[in-house]
């Protein structure tokens, strides 16, 4: 009886996923030990050490994983909405009654323990998104269904941003990959990507260069839709030429009387009327999309200064400017990243060896056991060790995507892709910021960074997918 129950519960669990998870967690524990070990400590096993606390969190995480595997998949499906709304309530409570840590009011403190609810809200949001998108008659390209999806993602995102924890909030934007996988029209994805690209480009490029870049992008979009290049290039080139002529005319007639973007927006709107009338007359309605993207881009560019100066916090502005190379502050905002690069670079191919990393041992790299844990791996185990860790994480993400493809129920497929998207975003941002390819956002490396909230939440997030996959394997004919 016991053996039969064991096989019924655990016999269909994907062993490779569990082994990958265990290997990453153990690697993280070793790295935390190395990053926080103090050779002058009298008691190596004192619970005040970070690595001893992490061992406790690992034990709790494994118990949580076991509990998740014992759950009925129908219960997981049923609890999706209650968990989501409970998560929103906890986020609001943290906003008003939480403890502020590193400028973000996103923590609850219970004695010596801190809990960051946003880590668990990621699970609830993934479940709610899977529940909404797997409902009967749902279509990702129906406006009212797309609105539901937007509300599910944006409600926790807004609260998290209000907590001044923008980095954690941006993680929810990774669900865009899930929407694209589920059939979201690619042209609806373009404005979202264009906003991010234009915001960064507005700091690096002159207005005239931005205009040329937009013309090229809009022309490519139009050609992709219609398959015809020449006539569309003429329309867009005439629009750009008219905009430039208007700007330069105003500049020479009344210097300083009109801004570049104001003039460009005015002439663009006038040009759009003429182009739209001609397009409608000749049945070239496909031109509305690139012209609409062009106008929308101009409107957004006119607001970037306000967003940067009035919406973003001072430390967020400094991180963006530092990331783009506009400002340099080696002893201030750039210190963490510079020390991280030194640590990783000094590791070479095979590293300096266990507990031999000087940048880590002597505390030159701040947060070396949390957000910058990959520096410890890079300095002590070198390029090969870092590549091995990234390989484990990539294999885990690919395994989740494979789980999603083999799911016979939309709920399980969508959830597996949500988990893969969250992990992929965390890995890209965390590793990218330690080598200067991404701005510093305070995002942990999954299963490796120190922290109970992060480890337990990521464990539950993963093992819900494992449980859904096991159920699909066990009852392949009953899934629908």
């Amino acid at each position: 009886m016991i053996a039969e129950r064991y096989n019924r519960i655990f016999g269909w669990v994907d062993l490779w996923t569990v082994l990958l998870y265990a290997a990453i967690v153990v690697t993280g524990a070793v790295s935390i030990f190395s990053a926080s070990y103090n050779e002058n400590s009298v008691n190596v096993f004192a619970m005040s050490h970070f690595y001893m606390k992490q061992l406790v969190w690992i034990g709790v995480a494994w118990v949580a994983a076991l509990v998740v595997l014992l759950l009925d998949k129908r219960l997981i499906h049923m609890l999706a909405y209650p968990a989501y709304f409970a998560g929103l309530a906890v986020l609001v409570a943290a906003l008003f009654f939480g403890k502020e840590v590193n400028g973000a009011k996103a923590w609850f403190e219970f004695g010596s323990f801190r809990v960051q609810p946003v880590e668990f809200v990621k699970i609830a949001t993934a479940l709610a998104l899977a529940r909404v998108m797997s409902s009967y008659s749902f279509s990702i390209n129906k406006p009212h269904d797309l609105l539901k999806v937007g509300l599910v993602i944006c409600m926790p995102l807004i609260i998290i941003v209000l907590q001044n924890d923008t980095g954690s909030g941006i993680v929810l934007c990774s669900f865009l990959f899930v929407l694209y996988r589920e059939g979201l029209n690619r042209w609806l994805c373009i404005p979202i990507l264009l906003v991010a690209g234009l915001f960064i480009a507005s700091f690096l490029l002159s207005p005239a260069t931005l205009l040329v870049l937009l013309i090229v992008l809009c022309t490519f979009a139009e050609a992709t839709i219609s398959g015809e290049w020449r006539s569309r290039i003429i329309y867009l080139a005439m629009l750009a030429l008219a905009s430039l002529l208007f700007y330069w005319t105003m500049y020479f007639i009344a210097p300083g009387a009109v801004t570049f973007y104001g003039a460009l927006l005015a002439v663009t709107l006038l040009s759009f009327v003429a182009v739209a009338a001609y397009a409608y007359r000749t049945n070239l309605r496909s031109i509305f999309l690139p012209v609409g993207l062009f106008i929308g881009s101009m409107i957004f560019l006119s607001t970037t200064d306000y967003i940067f100066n009035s919406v973003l916090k001072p430390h967020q502005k400094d991180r963006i400017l530092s990331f783009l190379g506009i400002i340099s502050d080696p002893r201030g905002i750039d210190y963490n990243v510079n020390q991280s690069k030194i640590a990783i670079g000094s590791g070479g191919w095979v590293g300096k060896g266990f507990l031999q990393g000087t940048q880590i041992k002597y505390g030159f790299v701040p947060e070396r056991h949390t957000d910058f844990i990959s520096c410890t791996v890079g300095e002590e185990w070198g390029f090969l060790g870092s590549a091995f860790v990234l390989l484990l994480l990539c294999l885990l993400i690919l395994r989740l995507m494979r789980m999603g493809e083999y799911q016979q129920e939309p709920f399980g497929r969508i959830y597996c892709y949500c988990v893969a998207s969250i992990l992929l975003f965390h890995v890209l941002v965390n590793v990218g910021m330690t080598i200067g390819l991404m701005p510093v956002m305070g995002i942990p490396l999954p299963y490796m960074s120190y922290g109970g909230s992060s480890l337990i939440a990521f464990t539950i997030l993963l093992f819900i997918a494992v449980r859904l996959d096991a159920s699909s394997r066990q009852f392949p004919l009953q899934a629908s």
Side-chain angles (χ1 to χ4, degrees):
M1 180 67 70
I2 296 178
E4 180 181 350
R5 179 172 175 80
Y6 177 88
N7 290 329
R8 182 171 63 84
I9 297 174
F10 300 107
W12 299 97
V13 170
D14 185 11
L15 183 60
W16 284 109
T17 301
V18 177
L19 290 176
L20 285 170
Y21 162 80
I24 297 171
V25 169
V26 170
T27 303
V30 173
S31 300
I32 292 171
F33 175 81
S34 181
S36 58
Y37 174 72
N38 184 0
E39 57 188 11
N40 297 321
S41 177
V42 177
N43 186 359
V44 178
F45 300 102
M47 289 304 300
S48 58
H49 297 301
F50 289 121
Y51 53 85
M52 291 302 298
K53 293 180 181 178
Q54 188 70 2
L55 289 178
V56 174
W57 295 129
I58 291 174
V60 175
W62 284 355
V63 172
L66 179 61
V67 171
V68 170
L69 291 179
L70 292 173
L71 293 177
D72 191 308
K73 73 164 188 176
R74 291 172 294 183
L75 182 62
I76 295 174
H77 186 275
M78 184 178 64
L79 291 177
Y81 287 152
Y84 177 75
F85 289 111
L88 292 180
V90 173
L91 284 180
V92 173
L95 179 62
F96 289 100
F97 308 109
K99 180 179 178 59
E100 185 172 324
V101 178
N102 294 330
K105 199 171 184 181
W107 297 77
F108 287 118
E109 191 171 50
F110 304 97
S112 59
F113 297 102
R114 292 176 183 170
V115 178
Q116 190 177 16
V118 66
E119 299 294 345
F120 298 93
V121 171
K122 295 173 188 175
I123 306 172
T125 305
L127 288 171
L129 188 63
R131 178 77 181 271
V132 168
M133 295 179 66
S134 62
S135 60
Y136 179 73
S137 76
F138 177 88
S139 175
I140 191 63
N141 290 309
K142 290 181 181 178
H144 64 280
D145 286 338
L146 192 57
L147 178 61
K148 293 178 185 177
V149 170
L151 287 174
V152 169
I153 297 174
C154 290
M155 287 174 65
L157 174 59
I158 293 172
I159 302 174
I160 295 169
V161 171
L162 291 176
Q163 292 176 341
N164 200 24
D165 191 11
T166 309
S168 297
I170 293 176
V171 174
L172 299 181
C173 296
S174 64
F175 292 139
L176 179 63
F177 298 110
V178 181
L179 304 185
Y180 184 77
R181 163 63 183 80
E182 291 301 309
L184 180 66
N185 191 316
R186 67 181 185 275
W187 297 113
L188 295 177
C189 301
I190 288 179
I192 301 175
L193 300 176
L194 194 60
V195 164
L198 287 176
F199 185 76
I200 295 175
S202 64
F203 295 100
L204 302 176
L205 304 176
S206 66
T209 305
L210 268 177
L211 176 62
V212 173
L213 179 61
L214 283 172
I215 294 300
V216 172
L217 290 176
C218 291
T219 302
F220 177 77
E222 170 61 17
T224 303
I225 298 173
S226 64
E228 299 179 10
W229 285 84
R230 295 182 180 179
S231 59
R232 281 33 171 197
I233 290 176
I234 293 174
Y235 302 148
L236 295 172
M238 289 177 63
L239 189 149
L241 181 61
S243 302
L244 285 174
L245 288 176
F246 182 84
Y247 168 69
W248 286 113
T249 301
M250 292 298 297
Y251 178 80
F252 285 112
I253 293 177
V258 63
T259 64
F260 175 84
Y261 294 122
L264 192 58
L265 180 59
V267 74
T268 299
L269 291 173
L270 293 174
S271 303
F272 176 71
V273 175
V275 172
Y278 180 78
Y280 183 81
R281 180 181 177 184
T282 56
N283 199 28
L284 297 175
R285 293 183 177 84
S286 62
I287 199 172
F288 285 109
L289 178 60
V291 173
L293 287 176
F294 188 83
I295 293 176
S297 299
M298 291 299 101
I299 295 174
F300 176 73
L301 285 173
S302 64
T303 65
T304 53
D305 287 340
Y306 172 79
I307 294 173
F308 184 78
N309 293 316
S310 302
V311 177
L312 297 180
K313 303 294 183 182
H315 71 279
Q316 294 171 336
K317 293 190 286 188
D318 290 340
R319 287 175 179 177
I320 292 174
L321 295 176
S322 173
F323 167 68
L324 297 176
I326 297 176
I327 64 173
S328 179
D329 186 11
R331 295 184 179 274
I333 194 66
D334 294 331
Y335 179 80
N336 287 15
V337 176
N338 287 341
Q339 294 300 321
S340 172
K341 290 180 181 179
I342 293 172
I344 294 174
S346 65
W349 281 96
V350 296
K352 299 177 180 178
F354 183 58
L355 297 179
Q356 301 302 313
T358 54
Q359 295 294 116
I360 299 300
K361 180 188 297 185
Y362 299 115
F364 289 105
V365 180
E367 309 297 336
R368 56 194 177 276
H369 61 291
T370 54
D371 297 341
F372 286 82
I373 189 68
S374 58
C375 297
T376 303
V377 178
E379 185 175 22
E380 296 192 346
W381 305 109
F383 175 80
L384 295 179
S386 298
F388 177 73
V389 170
L390 288 177
L391 177 63
L392 291 177
L393 289 166
C394 288
L395 288 175
L396 180 60
I397 294 171
L398 290 173
R399 199 72 188 174
L400 283 164
M401 294 174 66
R402 182 179 181 274
M403 283 183 185
E405 291 299 329
Y406 278 91
Q407 289 289 313
Q408 298 182 32
E409 293 182 342
F411 180 85
R413 181 183 68 248
I414 295 167
Y415 181 80
C416 287
Y417 268 95
C418 285
V419 179
S421 298
I422 292 173
L423 294 182
L424 178 62
F425 188 90
H426 269 267
V427 172
L428 289 177
V429 173
N430 181 275
V431 176
M433 73 183 189
T434 61
I435 56 179
L437 295 180
M438 297 289 286
V440 177
M441 294 186 187
I443 292 179
L445 188 61
Y447 310 113
M448 291 194 60
S449 294
Y450 169 80
S453 298
S454 173
L455 178 61
I456 296 172
F458 274 121
T459 299
I460 296 173
L461 184 75
L462 174 65
F463 276 86
I464 290 177
V466 173
R467 180 66 187 91
L468 294 173
D469 177 68
S471 179
S472 179
R473 290 166 179 260
Q474 186 178 6
F475 304 109
L477 298 179
Q478 297 180 18
S480 59

